[in-house]
Protein backbone atom coordinates (compact mmCIF):
# COMPACT_ATOMS: atom_id res chain seq x y z
CA UNK A 1 0.00 0.00 0.00
CA UNK A 2 1.33 3.46 -0.91
CA UNK A 3 2.01 5.74 2.03
CA UNK A 4 -0.09 8.82 2.73
CA UNK A 5 2.18 11.42 4.25
CA UNK A 6 2.75 15.12 4.62
CA UNK A 7 3.39 15.65 0.89
CA UNK A 8 0.17 13.93 -0.21
CA UNK A 9 -1.91 15.80 2.39
CA UNK A 10 -0.43 19.07 1.13
CA UNK A 11 -1.30 18.20 -2.46
CA UNK A 12 -4.86 17.32 -1.39
CA UNK A 13 -5.26 20.65 0.39
CA UNK A 14 -4.18 22.40 -2.81
CA UNK A 15 -6.69 20.39 -4.81
CA UNK A 16 -9.47 21.32 -2.36
CA UNK A 17 -8.49 24.99 -2.70
CA UNK A 18 -8.70 24.70 -6.50
CA UNK A 19 -12.15 23.07 -6.29
CA UNK A 20 -13.31 25.90 -4.04
CA UNK A 21 -12.03 28.44 -6.58
CA UNK A 22 -13.93 26.57 -9.30
CA UNK A 23 -17.17 27.06 -7.36
CA UNK A 24 -17.66 23.99 -5.16
CA UNK A 25 -19.32 25.21 -1.95
CA UNK A 26 -20.47 22.10 -0.08
CA UNK A 27 -18.01 21.84 2.82
CA UNK A 28 -18.85 18.16 3.40
CA UNK A 29 -17.86 17.38 -0.21
CA UNK A 30 -14.62 19.38 0.06
CA UNK A 31 -13.86 17.74 3.39
CA UNK A 32 -14.32 14.25 1.92
CA UNK A 33 -12.09 15.03 -1.09
CA UNK A 34 -9.53 16.34 1.40
CA UNK A 35 -9.54 12.94 3.11
CA UNK A 36 -9.58 10.32 0.33
CA UNK A 37 -5.99 9.45 -0.70
CA UNK A 38 -6.48 9.75 -4.48
CA UNK A 39 -2.87 8.80 -5.26
CA UNK A 40 -3.47 5.29 -3.89
CA UNK A 41 -5.97 4.75 -6.77
CA UNK A 42 -3.25 5.45 -9.35
CA UNK A 43 -0.73 3.20 -11.11
CA UNK A 44 2.87 4.01 -10.25
CA UNK A 45 3.46 5.48 -13.72
CA UNK A 46 0.75 8.12 -13.16
CA UNK A 47 1.36 8.74 -9.45
CA UNK A 48 2.65 12.28 -9.88
CA UNK A 49 -0.62 13.27 -11.57
CA UNK A 50 -2.94 12.04 -8.82
CA UNK A 51 -3.79 15.48 -7.44
CA UNK A 52 -4.17 17.27 -10.76
CA UNK A 53 -7.72 18.24 -11.58
CA UNK A 54 -7.89 15.81 -14.50
CA UNK A 55 -9.45 12.46 -15.42
CA UNK A 56 -7.02 9.53 -15.85
CA UNK A 57 -7.17 6.06 -17.39
CA UNK A 58 -7.84 3.13 -15.02
CA UNK A 59 -7.64 0.37 -17.67
CA UNK A 60 -10.38 -1.32 -19.72
CA UNK A 61 -10.82 1.98 -21.62
CA UNK A 62 -12.33 3.58 -18.50
CA UNK A 63 -11.37 6.59 -16.39
CA UNK A 64 -11.21 7.84 -12.82
CA UNK A 65 -13.27 11.03 -13.15
CA UNK A 66 -11.74 14.50 -12.81
CA UNK A 67 -11.92 15.70 -9.16
CA UNK A 68 -14.03 18.70 -10.22
CA UNK A 69 -16.54 16.34 -11.85
CA UNK A 70 -16.66 14.16 -8.71
CA UNK A 71 -17.14 17.26 -6.54
CA UNK A 72 -19.78 18.75 -8.86
CA UNK A 73 -21.86 15.56 -9.05
CA UNK A 74 -21.56 14.91 -5.31
CA UNK A 75 -22.59 18.48 -4.48
CA UNK A 76 -25.63 18.23 -6.75
CA UNK A 77 -26.58 14.97 -5.02
CA UNK A 78 -26.99 16.83 -1.66
CA UNK A 79 -25.58 13.87 0.27
CA UNK A 80 -26.55 13.65 3.92
CA UNK A 81 -25.09 11.37 6.58
CA UNK A 82 -27.07 8.11 6.56
CA UNK A 83 -28.33 8.47 2.96
CA UNK A 84 -28.67 5.24 1.02
CA UNK A 85 -26.90 5.92 -2.28
CA UNK A 86 -26.70 3.84 -5.46
CA UNK A 87 -23.66 4.68 -7.58
CA UNK A 88 -23.72 3.40 -11.16
CA UNK A 89 -20.17 2.90 -12.54
CA UNK A 90 -17.87 1.83 -9.69
CA UNK A 91 -14.73 2.23 -11.81
CA UNK A 92 -11.75 2.81 -9.51
CA UNK A 93 -13.94 3.18 -6.41
CA UNK A 94 -12.82 6.78 -5.80
CA UNK A 95 -16.31 8.27 -5.99
CA UNK A 96 -17.65 5.54 -3.70
CA UNK A 97 -14.90 6.42 -1.20
CA UNK A 98 -15.95 10.10 -1.27
CA UNK A 99 -19.59 9.14 -0.62
CA UNK A 100 -18.56 6.85 2.25
CA UNK A 101 -16.45 9.63 3.79
CA UNK A 102 -19.65 11.71 3.79
CA UNK A 103 -21.42 9.09 5.89
CA UNK A 104 -23.58 7.54 3.16
CA UNK A 105 -24.39 3.85 2.85
CA UNK A 106 -23.17 3.07 -0.64
CA UNK A 107 -24.30 0.47 -3.16
CA UNK A 108 -22.04 0.63 -6.19
CA UNK A 109 -22.57 -1.31 -9.41
CA UNK A 110 -20.06 -2.02 -12.18
CA UNK A 111 -20.61 -3.64 -15.60
CA UNK A 112 -16.98 -4.43 -16.41
CA UNK A 113 -15.92 -7.68 -14.75
CA UNK A 114 -12.22 -6.80 -14.48
CA UNK A 115 -12.88 -3.42 -12.89
CA UNK A 116 -15.47 -4.93 -10.56
CA UNK A 117 -13.06 -7.67 -9.42
CA UNK A 118 -10.11 -5.28 -9.08
CA UNK A 119 -11.93 -2.58 -7.12
CA UNK A 120 -13.74 -5.05 -4.91
CA UNK A 121 -10.38 -6.54 -3.92
CA UNK A 122 -8.64 -3.17 -3.47
CA UNK A 123 -11.04 -0.66 -1.91
CA UNK A 124 -11.65 -2.40 1.47
CA UNK A 125 -7.87 -2.24 2.09
CA UNK A 126 -8.34 1.51 2.43
CA UNK A 127 -11.14 1.01 4.94
CA UNK A 128 -13.89 1.79 2.39
CA UNK A 129 -16.65 -0.80 2.35
CA UNK A 130 -19.52 -0.13 -0.02
CA UNK A 131 -21.80 -2.96 -1.14
CA UNK A 132 -20.19 -4.10 -4.41
CA UNK A 133 -22.63 -5.14 -7.12
CA UNK A 134 -21.89 -6.57 -10.55
CA UNK A 135 -24.20 -6.06 -13.51
CA UNK A 136 -25.99 -3.62 -15.76
CA UNK A 137 -26.56 -0.53 -13.63
CA UNK A 138 -28.50 1.23 -16.40
CA UNK A 139 -31.45 -0.72 -14.95
CA UNK A 140 -30.54 0.35 -11.42
CA UNK A 141 -30.62 -2.34 -8.76
CA UNK A 142 -34.28 -3.00 -7.89
CA UNK A 143 -33.52 -5.61 -5.20
CA UNK A 144 -32.26 -2.90 -2.80
CA UNK A 145 -34.52 -0.02 -3.94
CA UNK A 146 -35.65 2.58 -3.03
CA UNK A 147 -32.58 4.82 -2.76
CA UNK A 148 -32.34 8.32 -1.29
CA UNK A 149 -29.83 9.21 -3.98
CA UNK A 150 -28.73 7.70 -7.30
CA UNK A 151 -25.53 8.86 -8.98
CA UNK A 152 -24.64 7.84 -12.54
CA UNK A 153 -20.95 8.28 -13.37
CA UNK A 154 -21.17 7.41 -17.09
CA UNK A 155 -22.90 9.32 -19.91
CA UNK A 156 -26.46 8.16 -20.71
CA UNK A 157 -28.46 8.68 -23.93
CA UNK A 158 -31.66 9.29 -21.92
CA UNK A 159 -32.82 9.29 -18.30
CA UNK A 160 -33.83 5.65 -17.70
CA UNK A 161 -37.27 5.43 -16.09
CA UNK A 162 -36.02 2.38 -14.22
CA UNK A 163 -33.77 4.74 -12.22
CA UNK A 164 -36.38 7.35 -11.32
CA UNK A 165 -38.70 4.47 -10.31
CA UNK A 166 -36.06 3.40 -7.75
CA UNK A 167 -35.87 6.83 -6.04
CA UNK A 168 -37.53 7.27 -2.67
CA UNK A 169 -39.87 10.21 -2.02
CA UNK A 170 -37.65 13.31 -1.84
CA UNK A 171 -34.89 11.33 -3.60
CA UNK A 172 -32.40 12.78 -6.08
CA UNK A 173 -30.91 11.33 -9.27
CA UNK A 174 -27.82 12.97 -10.82
CA UNK A 175 -27.02 11.75 -14.32
CA UNK A 176 -25.08 13.10 -17.32
CA UNK A 177 -27.31 12.89 -20.42
CA UNK A 178 -26.48 13.56 -24.05
CA UNK A 179 -24.65 12.09 -27.02
CA UNK A 180 -21.43 10.10 -26.84
CA UNK A 181 -19.19 13.17 -26.89
CA UNK A 182 -20.88 15.57 -24.50
CA UNK A 183 -23.55 15.42 -21.81
CA UNK A 184 -25.46 17.94 -19.74
CA UNK A 185 -25.58 17.24 -16.00
CA UNK A 186 -29.20 16.53 -15.09
CA UNK A 187 -30.66 16.47 -11.60
CA UNK A 188 -34.07 14.92 -11.00
CA UNK A 189 -35.85 15.27 -7.70
CA UNK A 190 -38.89 13.20 -6.77
CA UNK A 191 -41.37 15.43 -4.95
CA UNK A 192 -44.76 13.98 -4.00
CA UNK A 193 -44.31 11.40 -6.74
CA UNK A 194 -43.60 14.07 -9.40
CA UNK A 195 -40.22 14.44 -11.11
CA UNK A 196 -38.62 17.88 -11.09
CA UNK A 197 -35.78 18.29 -13.57
CA UNK A 198 -32.87 20.75 -13.56
CA UNK A 199 -29.96 21.04 -16.00
CA UNK A 200 -26.45 22.27 -15.26
CA UNK A 201 -23.10 22.37 -17.09
CA UNK A 202 -21.74 20.14 -19.86
CA UNK A 203 -19.27 17.30 -19.21
CA UNK A 204 -17.65 14.47 -21.21
CA UNK A 205 -18.13 11.00 -19.70
CA UNK A 206 -17.41 7.52 -21.02
CA UNK A 207 -20.66 5.92 -22.21
CA UNK A 208 -23.18 4.22 -19.94
CA UNK A 209 -23.58 0.80 -21.54
CA UNK A 210 -26.37 -1.74 -21.17
CA UNK A 211 -30.07 -2.11 -21.77
CA UNK A 212 -31.01 1.50 -20.93
CA UNK A 213 -27.67 2.93 -22.07
CA UNK A 214 -25.60 2.73 -25.26
CA UNK A 215 -25.58 -0.61 -27.01
CA UNK A 216 -21.80 -0.76 -27.61
CA UNK A 217 -18.62 0.74 -26.19
N1 LIG B 1 -17.08 6.43 -10.48
C1 LIG B 1 -15.83 5.98 -11.07
C2 LIG B 1 -14.64 6.32 -10.21
O1 LIG B 1 -14.82 6.94 -9.17
O2 LIG B 1 -13.52 5.90 -10.58
C3 LIG B 1 -15.61 6.51 -12.46
C4 LIG B 1 -16.52 5.87 -13.39
S1 LIG B 1 -16.03 5.77 -15.07
C5 LIG B 1 -16.08 7.44 -15.58
C6 LIG B 1 -17.54 5.03 -15.68
C7 LIG B 1 -17.75 3.60 -15.22
O3 LIG B 1 -19.07 3.18 -15.57
C8 LIG B 1 -16.80 2.59 -15.87
O4 LIG B 1 -16.14 1.87 -14.87
C9 LIG B 1 -17.73 1.70 -16.69
O5 LIG B 1 -17.27 0.36 -16.80
C10 LIG B 1 -19.01 1.81 -15.89
N2 LIG B 1 -20.25 1.47 -16.62
C11 LIG B 1 -20.60 1.73 -17.89
N3 LIG B 1 -21.84 1.25 -18.14
C12 LIG B 1 -22.28 0.69 -16.97
C13 LIG B 1 -23.49 0.03 -16.60
N4 LIG B 1 -24.51 -0.16 -17.44
N5 LIG B 1 -23.60 -0.41 -15.32
C14 LIG B 1 -22.58 -0.25 -14.43
N6 LIG B 1 -21.41 0.37 -14.74
C15 LIG B 1 -21.27 0.83 -16.01
Amino acid sequence: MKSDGYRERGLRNKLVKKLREKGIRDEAVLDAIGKVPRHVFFDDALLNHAYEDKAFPIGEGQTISQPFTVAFQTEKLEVKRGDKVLEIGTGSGYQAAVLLEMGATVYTIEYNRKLYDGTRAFLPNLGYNPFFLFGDGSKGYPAKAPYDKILVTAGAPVVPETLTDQLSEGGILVIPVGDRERQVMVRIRKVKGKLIKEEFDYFAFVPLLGEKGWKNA
Side-chain angles (χ1 to χ4, degrees):
M1 186 60 66
K2 296 174 185 91
S3 66
D4 184 31
Y6 184 74
R7 177 173 178 271
E8 288 76 21
R9 282 198 292 278
L11 290 169
R12 273 206 295 287
N13 288 341
K14 272 196 188 151
L15 174 62
V16 166
K17 188 165 172 261
K18 185 174 281 175
L19 296 176
R20 224 185 268 281
E21 283 163 11
K22 286 186 168 181
I24 303 300
R25 290 287 167 266
D26 186 331
E27 288 302 325
V29 172
L30 293 167
D31 200 48
I33 289 181
K35 284 186 182 146
V36 179
R38 195 166 191 262
H39 63 286
V40 180
F41 293 75
F42 276 62
D43 283 346
D44 287 345
L46 291 170
L47 211 52
N48 285 334
H49 301 289
Y51 292 104
E52 291 172 13
D53 189 20
K54 287 184 188 158
F56 279 99
I58 53 171
E60 298 295 296
Q62 302 302 328
T63 52
I64 178 168
S65 300
Q66 182 181 346
F68 176 73
T69 306
V70 172
F72 190 92
Q73 286 201 289
T74 314
E75 182 168 77
K76 294 299 176 237
L77 207 59
E78 298 180 6
V79 180
K80 288 187 210 68
R81 202 156 272 284
D83 271 354
K84 180 177 166 189
V85 181
L86 174 67
E87 180 202 14
I88 296 162
T90 308
S92 68
Y94 177 76
Q95 171 74 71
V98 169
L99 293 167
L100 287 163
E101 281 288 358
M102 295 179 76
T105 298
V106 180
Y107 293 81
T108 183
I109 183 161
E110 175 57 55
Y111 204 25
N112 179 296
R113 186 88 221 185
K114 256 191 162 166
L115 289 176
Y116 167 80
D117 286 341
T119 301
R120 192 183 179 186
F122 154 80
L123 201 60
N125 298 330
L126 296 180
Y128 295 122
N129 291 292
F131 294 97
F132 290 101
L133 309 167
F134 174 71
D136 177 8
S138 75
K139 297 184 287 187
Y141 193 74
K144 296 289 176 187
Y147 303 96
D148 300 313
K149 311 282 162 67
I150 300 178
L151 175 59
V152 182
T153 68
V158 292
V159 177
E161 218 174 273
T162 42
L163 297 188
T164 51
D165 285 350
Q166 290 172 40
L167 278 180
S168 58
E169 169 56 29
I172 294 177
L173 164 68
V174 172
I175 178 169
V177 183
D179 57 30
R180 294 180 77 114
E181 276 71 48
R182 198 173 87 117
Q183 307 87 27
V184 68
M185 195 63 75
V186 172
R187 173 163 67 187
I188 292 178
R189 206 184 285 270
K190 195 180 261 188
V191 182
K192 295 186 182 139
K194 286 213 175 101
L195 301 177
I196 297 170
K197 181 177 169 189
E198 297 163 273
E199 288 187 0
F200 301 97
D201 299 351
Y202 279 87
F203 291 82
F205 281 82
V206 295
L208 177 74
L209 302 176
E211 195 177 309
K212 310 287 176 188
W214 298 96
K215 296 295 166 256
N216 47 36

